[in-house]
């Protein structure tokens, strides 16, 4: 990779106006053979503002102000910035080169739909699909639990075969910024595939995770209090071995929205105080990408009913 | 307001590195009396990328590339942009001038904590506080329902006194972008203060809202299908008159995170298929600003228990 001056734009793959990110498909010549032109994916993100001080506040970089309106005490403007310095870049970029069809699919816009999984559809159609998945898909989890891989990442380990778990940083966390703290607790038991399997017999495990995380995080990460920790489970999860997401209370984390996520405390309360069989009875509703295999399984089941 | 050249930085009030926004407190001289210097709040947001085409892709504005690492097919860079044009501004800004203490508090960082409201704490401490709120706080809702105000905003009206509701756009929606669609359904009944009051007798109202919204939105907003609509209720809500938030399936909306929000379908399922008294029994967990009156009510109750 020599740079981007030879990048030729093909088309936009995706964008997010809230997060200020775009994914562009283009081409770049090979650095070793200029006649070979291959696909490249460019992921670009506007940077956050540098730390503001009296000497370096952003208003000093404004080269043009364009008034767009005003009402009473409110005044709206657009502004153009003069070029920044290398310690205050405007963009963060990732270039994937050469990019395969799989990379292009991964970074392309995917239509999502709201969908309801009834208890019956789970039992008759979704569970058989989960059980048909090759065990090798979660071999990486077994490797961490058994101590074969990633031991340098493990922050905490409780080896009890029934209630134990390990904690490691989520790969999306920078391991520094406490306000975006993101850890994972992975259960030692491998017989709980998801939320749907949880029964009263698992309450000791769920409470052990809750209580030890609330004690351990403030100890390992001074500055995060136990009432600033949010713990939740995804449904559907990205892999079928029970795990709990642990984030700072206000961290913006993909998938922490209602429907995708279930608070650990709510799960415990539902099983303990509402109904022992809550998760085998409930209709669960969530947004799902239409290319996810479960989308087809559920929509076909509903037509068949 | 003449511009920002006289803006003097005082301190940062708040920032959001995910949304790329900052709130700065400073001072500006009065436009009519230069000797009078008053507080000003500057809200700044990085803009999203302009539409990318072959002729105008963002790579053409890059003036400096700084490589920050690489691994196999992944290459990371920072970049400096050359100045944009007025139709492609770098920043959007709001200036509030003169700003009062109330504005400063509103835009300042507020610590949030995770908190659990048990059924007992709700009954003995939270409900009495809700009942002590003056009726005038929700007079604006009555004004809309009775047809006195905002009739030009009402998109749909069902006047049944038990199951009816009105729909209007949420004030945060731009009324154009379907991917950020945000509507509110406000119940005609004024005896349901929140989620906590919902019982089997309210199922006809909940289902009426669900079914009519699913039919009405795709009709009024072609391009939004019924399975691209997400409906949820906040707990705690910002006002105690039952209402449902309606958004596009992928819209980034504040408060749509787990704990703050409860899907309408999940509420119906909990009451109908799990437990008729679900919402008078459940422990509800959510993040709350420590300055919210309910934060003190709940934490004091728990100490007292």
């Amino acid at each position: 990779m020599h740079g981007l001056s030879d990048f030729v734009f093909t088309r936009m793959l995706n964008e997010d106006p809230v997060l200020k990110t775009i994914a562009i498909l283009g081409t770049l010549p090979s650095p070793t053979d200029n006649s070979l032109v291959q696909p490249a994916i460019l992921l670009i993100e506007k940077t956050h503002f540098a730390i503001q001080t009296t000497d370096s506040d952003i208003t000093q970089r404004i080269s043009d102000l364009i008034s767009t309106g005003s009402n009473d005490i409110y005044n709206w403007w657009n502004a153009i910035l003069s070029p920044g310095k290398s310690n205050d870049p405007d963009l963060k970029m990732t270039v994937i080169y050469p990019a395969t069809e799989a990379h292009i699919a991964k970074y392309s816009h995917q239509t999502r739909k709201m969908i309801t999984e009834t208890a019956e559809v789970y039992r008759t159609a979704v569970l058989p699909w989960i059980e048909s998945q090759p065990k090798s898909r979660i071999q990486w989890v077994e490797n961490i639990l058994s101590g074969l891989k990633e031991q340098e990442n493990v922050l905490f380990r409780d080896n009890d075969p029934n209630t134990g778990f390990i904690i490691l940083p989520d790969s999306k966390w920078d391991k520094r910024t406490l306000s975006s703290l993101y850890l994972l607790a992975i259960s030692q038991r491998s017989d709980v595939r998801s939320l749907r399997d949880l029964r009263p017999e698992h309450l000791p495990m769920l409470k052990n995770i809750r209580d030890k995380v609330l004690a351990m995080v403030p100890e390992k990460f001074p500055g995060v209090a136990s009432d600033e920790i949010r713990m939740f489970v995804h449904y559907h999860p990205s892999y079928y071995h029970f795990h709990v997401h642990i984030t700072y209370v206000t961290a913006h984390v993909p998938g922490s929205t209602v429907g995708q996520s279930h608070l650990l405390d709510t799960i415990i309360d539902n099983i303990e105080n509402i109904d022992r069989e809550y998760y085998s009875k409930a209709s669960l509703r969530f947004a799902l990408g239409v290319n996810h295999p479960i989308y087809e399984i559920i929509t076909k089941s509903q037509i068949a009913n």
Side-chain angles (χ1 to χ4, degrees), chain A:
Chain A
M1 282 289 308
H2 297 308
L4 287 178
S5 55
D6 297 322
F7 182 84
V8 177
F9 177 90
T10 307
R11 63 184 157 89
M12 289 273 291
L13 295 178
N14 205 357
E15 63 173 328
D16 188 321
V18 174
L19 305 180
K20 284 94 185 175
T21 58
I22 50 174
I24 297 175
L25 180 65
T27 55
L28 279 171
S30 162
T32 50
D33 174 5
N34 259 315
S35 65
L36 177 66
V37 168
Q38 289 180 291
I41 294 172
L42 192 55
L43 308 173
I44 317 186
E45 176 181 1
K46 290 265 175 107
T47 54
H48 185 49
F49 297 91
I51 290 166
Q52 305 289 304
T53 66
T54 305
D55 293 332
S56 68
D57 78 293
I58 187 75
T59 59
Q60 298 183 16
R61 271 190 64 197
I62 288 173
S63 66
D64 278 281
L65 267 181
I66 304 128
S67 174
T68 57
S70 66
N71 181 352
D72 188 32
I73 59 167
Y74 296 94
N75 307 273
W76 296 282
W77 309 79
N78 285 334
I80 309 287
L81 289 180
S82 56
K85 302 207 176 76
S86 60
N87 62 358
D88 182 18
D90 300 307
L91 304 177
K92 283 182 205 165
M93 307 195 298
T94 302
V95 180
I96 302 172
Y97 177 84
T100 64
E101 278 303 321
H103 290 113
I104 294 171
K106 178 174 177 184
Y107 291 103
S108 292
H109 173 75
Q110 194 184 166
T111 303
R112 288 165 74 85
K113 302 274 193 180
M114 290 298 295
I115 196 164
T116 301
E117 181 188 277
T118 63
E120 201 204 330
V121 164
Y122 173 73
R123 222 170 28 245
T124 57
V126 176
L127 180 58
W129 176 81
I130 293 171
E131 286 177 332
S132 76
Q133 298 301 299
K135 266 275 172 199
S136 59
R137 286 268 171 90
I138 49 171
Q139 187 57 46
W140 65 272
V141 176
E142 301 296 338
N143 289 345
I144 301 173
L145 289 170
S146 67
L148 219 67
K149 288 278 171 73
E150 291 194 54
Q151 288 319 290
E152 68 285 5
N153 284 332
V154 173
L155 295 169
F156 181 86
R157 176 180 283 278
D158 172 343
N159 281 327
D160 187 286
N162 283 313
T163 64
F165 63 99
I166 58 164
I167 295 183
L168 63 176
D170 186 275
S171 60
K172 287 183 280 298
W173 188 41
D174 68 4
K175 301 192 191 178
R176 292 186 295 113
T177 314
L178 292 183
S179 64
S180 60
L181 179 87
Y182 195 169
L183 310 174
L184 284 179
I186 304 179
S187 145
Q188 295 281 0
R189 307 175 64 127
S190 54
D191 60 342
V192 182
R193 289 158 297 205
S194 80
L195 197 60
R196 283 283 193 197
D197 283 334
L198 293 171
R199 299 290 178 278
E201 69 192 89
H202 304 112
L203 285 171
M205 171 184 76
L206 299 174
K207 291 180 180 181
N208 186 48
I209 294 175
R210 177 187 64 188
D211 297 344
K212 289 195 177 147
V213 167
L214 290 180
M216 166 274 188
V217 171
E219 199 175 291
K220 291 242 182 194
F221 301 98
V224 179
S226 63
D227 57 4
E228 292 169 333
I229 298 165
R230 194 170 53 178
M231 285 181 263
F232 54 87
V233 166
H234 282 159
Y235 195 78
H236 278 268
S238 57
Y239 53 96
Y240 293 93
H241 179 117
F242 188 71
H243 59 283
V244 177
H245 299 255
I246 302 161
T247 75
Y248 189 74
V249 59
T250 53
H252 292 267
V253 162
S256 64
T257 48
V258 59
Q260 315 306 123
S261 283
H262 300 259
L263 289 177
L264 181 58
D265 280 284
T266 302
I267 296 169
I268 292 172
D269 188 55
N270 280 339
I271 298 171
E272 192 168 40
N273 299 321
I274 306 282
D275 191 321
R276 299 163 51 87
E277 294 295 319
Y278 186 96
Y279 291 99
S280 60
K281 285 183 181 176
S283 284
L284 299 176
R285 188 162 173 80
F286 42 83
L288 198 66
V290 297
N291 299 333
H292 194 296
I294 290 175
Y295 181 78
E296 196 184 346
I297 291 169
I298 293 179
T299 48
K300 276 201 177 161
S301 301
Q302 282 162 340
I303 294 162
N305 282 343

